[in-house]
Amino acid sequence: MLRNVIFSAGARSVSSQRSIVSQFSTDPYQPQCENPSGYWEPNGVKIIATIGPASENYQTLNRLVANGVRIMRINLSHATYDEIDLRVANLRKCVGKREPNGSLRGIMFDTKGPEIRTGSFPPSPDGLDVTIRVSKGDSITLHTSADYKHTSTCTDLYISYPQLTSVLSLDSKVLLDDGKISLSVQALNEELGQVVCAVDNAGVLKSRRGVNLPNAILEDLPALNEQDKELIRYGLEHDMIDILAASFIRNLDGVLQVKEFVNDHLFNVMKLDRSTTITPMIVSKIETQEAVDNFDEILLASDGVMVARGDLGVEVPISLVTNIQKEIVTKCNVVGKPVIVATQMLDSMACNPLPTRAEVSDVANAVYDGADCLMLSGETAAGDYPLETVRMMGDIIRNAENFVQPELKRIVEVDAGRGTGRDAIAVAAKTAAEHLKAKAIIVLSNGGGTAKMIAKHRPNNLPIVCFVENLAVGRQLQMCYGCHPIVEVGHGRTQTYVEKCIEIGVLKTGDPYILVRGQLSDRGYQSILLAGVA
C-alpha cells in the first residue's frame, strides 16, 4: 500500500544549470549522451517516437535512433501493411555501436481500439466532402439507425453505437470530434434509438468524427476491433511486436481480452512453444473515467500502463488530468511496472523548431513524477522537425534527471509485506551502488525480471546494463527506466561483462561497479550480488 511520497529539494545554482547544458553537443546529427569525460551517460527515461511519413525513411529514422529513440510506435489507426513493413525493416537496420548482436530498439503496436463515430454527410454535387456548421442552442437528433449512416445532416446525425440510448440519461454530455462540439441530452427514445440534444457551443463538424460519452459505462465494446486483430496477427507472425498498447481499456476484462487474443494466436494458431516464447508486453492505455475508476485491477493484469492524456482530457475534466497522471505514475512505480506519459508533450514542434515553455515544463514534470518513458506522437510522425523534437526531449529529460538526482530525491515508501527476494536484492544493489559511488549496475538476467526490479528503485541515475540472451527480452527492457540491454549468449566470467561495459563507455578502468546475477530455479529466485572495481 502506498504510504506517502516525500520530495526533499536542494538548491542548484544558475551557473551549475548552465554547465549541465553546455556538456552536450549541438551537432544536430550526433547523439548527445557522450560527454567530455568520455563516459556514455544515457538518459534513464526513455523516448518513444511515433514513426510516420515524416520519419519512416532510413536516414531520418537512423538519426532519431542515434539521438535517443528507444521504441518505435506504429499507430495502427493510420498504418497499412506496406507501411508497417517499411518502418520495421528500416528500424531493424538501425544498429548502434552498443548493439553488436542486432537492433535492440523496441517496436510498439498501438491499437485503434473500440471507437464510436458519427455518420457521413452526403457529398456535394461536385464530389467534395461536406462540413456542417452548428450554432449554440441548435437542436440535433442522434440516431442509431443505419438509415442515417451516410445521410446525416445538421439536424439528424448517425452515431455508430447501437446501445446509445441505454447508456445516456437526461443532461448527459455527448462530445464530438475530440470535444470540439459539446451536446447536452434533452430527450431519449429507446424504441426508435434516438437522442435529442441541444448544442452547447458553435462549431464545424466533418464526416466520421469521433464520439466521446463521458462517464458512460460501455460494457459491450470489445477491446480490439477487426482491423486491430488483422494487423496484430500480421505483426505476431512476422515477429514485429515487442509491446502492444491497447487503446481504451476500461476494466480488467479488457486487458484479459487482449491477452487472450494474443496468446490464442501465438500458441493455438502459430503453435509456438509456451515455455520459450516471449509474448508481447500488454500496455493498457488509460483514456476514460471508467479506466481511472478501475485502475487498480487494470494495473494488476497489465505489463505496463500509458497515461494517454488526449482522450483522457476529453473524457474527464481537463483540470484533473495532471492529478490523474501523477496518481497513475506513482502507483506504477510502487509495483515496478513501466509507465508511459503521452500526448501533446512537444506538440508545437510539429510546426516549430522550438517548443513552448509550458511544453518544456510538462516534459520535465513527467520525469519528476517518475515516468519510465515519454512518447512523441504527431511531432515525429508527421511534423516538420522530427529530429529536433527528439533531441529537445532528450535535452529536457537529461537536465531534469540531473536536477532530480541527488538534489531532488523522490522517496516512495511501500508496505513491507509487498517485498520479495528479488525486491530485496534490488534494494541491496541500489544501496551498495550509492555507498560505493558505483558508475554502473551490471545485471545478468535471462528474463529481465531482476533488471526491472532494480529499475523500480531508481538507482541514482546509474545505467543498469542488462546482459540478456534473447533479443525480444532486450527490446522489452527498453520500456524500463535506466535499463540498457545487451544480448550476450551464455553467461560467462564476470570480467567479460566488465570489459564489455568498458568497451561501451559506462565504465573506465578503476571504476567501482555492482553486479547482480539473478535466476529462477526449482527452489525459487536465487541471486548473487558482487561489488568490484573495473
Side-chain angles (χ1 to χ4, degrees):
M1 178 177 66
L2 180 66
R3 294 283 177 81
N4 51 35
V5 180
I6 305 168
F7 290 89
S8 173
R12 180 187 284 275
S13 68
V14 173
S15 62
S16 179
Q17 287 278 17
R18 286 174 179 165
S19 70
I20 293 172
V21 175
S22 64
Q23 287 179 10
F24 303 101
S25 165
T26 56
D27 183 340
Y29 301 125
Q30 293 301 318
Q32 295 175 285
C33 52
E34 312 282 0
N35 68 34
S37 67
Y39 283 102
W40 179 53
E41 296 184 343
N43 291 341
V45 175
K46 311 296 184 62
I47 297 175
I48 300 173
T50 305
I51 301 304
S55 50
E56 64 188 8
N57 67 81
Y58 170 71
Q59 289 76 14
T60 301
L61 189 52
N62 196 38
R63 288 171 179 170
L64 297 186
V65 166
N67 280 275
V69 170
R70 294 301 189 95
I71 296 170
M72 173 177 73
R73 171 181 177 252
I74 297 177
N75 187 349
L76 299 189
S77 299
H78 308 290
T80 65
Y81 291 101
D82 288 344
E83 288 169 339
I84 292 172
D85 287 344
L86 173 67
R87 293 165 192 174
V88 171
N90 283 341
L91 184 72
R92 294 293 190 236
K93 290 190 290 186
C94 298
V95 179
K97 64 181 181 181
R98 296 176 180 89
E99 299 172 347
N101 296 314
S103 174
L104 280 170
R105 308 298 165 168
I107 297 174
M108 171 189 287
F109 274 31
D110 194 333
T111 69
K112 191 174 187 178
E115 61 176 358
I116 304 174
R117 290 191 175 273
T118 65
S120 56
F121 308 117
S124 64
D126 54 7
L128 298 177
D129 290 339
V130 170
T131 59
I132 64 168
R133 182 173 295 277
V134 294
S135 301
K136 183 177 180 179
D138 285 354
S139 179
I140 186 168
T141 301
L142 309 180
H143 299 265
T144 59
S145 169
D147 293 343
Y148 294 88
K149 187 172 183 178
H150 302 292
T151 58
S152 292
T153 67
C154 61
T155 57
D156 295 279
L157 185 65
Y158 173 75
I159 303 293
S160 67
Y161 184 53
Q163 286 73 40
L164 184 69
T165 57
S166 63
V167 300
L168 296 177
S169 57
L170 294 180
D171 296 325
S172 290
K173 294 294 183 182
V174 178
L175 305 178
L176 308 178
D177 197 8
D178 289 334
K180 294 184 178 69
I181 297 174
S182 173
L183 310 177
S184 293
V185 175
Q186 293 187 320
L188 299 107
N189 187 324
E190 290 195 35
E191 184 178 349
L192 296 177
Q194 296 176 353
V195 180
V196 179
C197 298
V199 178
D200 295 331
N201 63 281
V204 174
L205 185 64
K206 298 179 181 180
S207 295
R208 291 192 50 74
R209 298 295 96 177
V211 178
N212 292 87
L213 306 174
N215 298 315
I217 305 299
L218 310 177
E219 295 180 349
D220 57 333
L221 280 178
L224 300 171
N225 64 35
E226 289 306 314
Q227 175 184 320
D228 290 332
K229 290 179 179 179
E230 287 299 319
L231 293 174
I232 291 169
R233 290 187 191 104
Y234 183 78
L236 293 174
E237 290 166 4
H238 292 82
D239 191 24
M240 293 176 170
I241 310 176
D242 301 303
I243 303 144
L244 182 59
S247 296
F248 292 103
I249 292 296
R250 297 175 178 272
N251 49 37
L252 173 63
D253 184 61
V255 187
L256 298 181
Q257 283 183 41
V258 176
K259 286 193 169 185
E260 182 181 2
F261 176 79
V262 170
N263 289 338
D264 178 68
H265 195 73
L266 287 174
F267 304 125
N268 296 330
V269 177
M270 296 175 63
K271 306 294 185 184
L272 299 184
D273 185 346
R274 288 179 183 268
S275 65
T276 59
T277 300
I278 307 299
T279 59
M281 296 177 68
I282 305 300
V283 171
S284 295
K285 296 174 66 176
I286 307 302
E287 304 179 81
T288 66
Q289 182 64 56
E290 188 179 353
V292 174
D293 294 340
N294 296 321
F295 181 72
D296 289 346
E297 67 179 38
I298 291 172
L299 177 60
L300 186 66
S302 304
D303 300 309
V305 168
M306 183 190 296
V307 188
R309 303 178 304 176
D311 280 286
L312 185 62
V314 176
E315 291 272 343
V316 307
I318 198 165
S319 58
L320 295 178
V321 170
T322 302
N323 296 356
I324 293 170
Q325 171 181 316
K326 291 179 182 298
E327 183 177 6
I328 288 174
V329 170
T330 298
K331 286 185 173 183
C332 290
N333 288 169
V334 167
V335 298
K337 292 190 178 182
V339 56
I340 305 163
V341 175
T343 317
Q344 296 181 326
M345 302 222 74
L346 295 175
D347 192 53
S348 69
M349 289 193 73
C351 356
N352 298 298
L354 290 173
T356 66
R357 308 308 183 264
E359 288 169 339
V360 173
S361 294
D362 182 36
V363 172
N365 276 298
V367 175
Y368 299 153
D369 287 345
D372 292 84
C373 302
L374 305 183
M375 193 176 91
L376 296 165
S377 301
E379 305 99 318
T380 50
D384 295 332
Y385 301 97
L387 179 59
E388 290 83 353
T389 302
V390 168
R391 287 177 58 82
M392 177 58 67
M393 178 167 273
D395 279 346
I396 299 167
I397 291 170
R398 183 173 301 107
N399 286 298
E401 289 180 340
N402 284 333
F403 180 66
V404 169
Q405 301 282 1
E407 283 76 7
L408 187 65
K409 288 189 177 180
R410 187 173 187 280
I411 307 165
V412 180
E413 295 183 5
V414 298
D415 181 52
R418 280 186 178 274
T420 63
R422 182 177 280 164
D423 205 41
I425 289 296
V427 173
K430 176 187 176 181
T431 303
E434 290 173 352
H435 281 294
L436 295 174
K437 294 182 169 45
K439 287 290 187 179
I441 297 177
I442 304 169
V443 182
L444 315 182
S445 176
N446 290 331
T450 301
K452 291 176 184 178
M453 194 58 67
I454 293 173
K456 166 186 170 180
H457 293 281
R458 300 295 199 268
N460 274 8
N461 273 5
L462 289 180
I464 304 167
V465 184
C466 314
F467 288 92
V468 298
E469 297 186 350
N470 186 294
L471 279 168
V473 172
R475 289 168 183 158
Q476 290 183 352
L477 281 172
Q478 298 285 17
M479 274 279 291
C480 300
Y481 172 91
C483 290
H484 307 289
I486 296 175
V487 173
E488 193 78 23
V489 178
H491 288 164
R493 298 180 302 112
T494 296
Q495 189 59 29
T496 302
Y497 304 108
V498 173
E499 290 171 357
K500 180 67 70 174
C501 288
I502 292 173
E503 180 184 330
I504 66 175
V506 296
L507 290 177
K508 289 185 177 181
T509 301
D511 285 338
Y513 65 85
I514 299 297
L515 183 143
V516 181
R517 184 192 296 263
Q519 64 182 28
L520 289 172
S521 71
D522 295 339
R523 291 178 290 176
Y525 177 73
Q526 296 180 323
S527 65
I528 299 172
L529 190 153
L530 300 173
V533 176

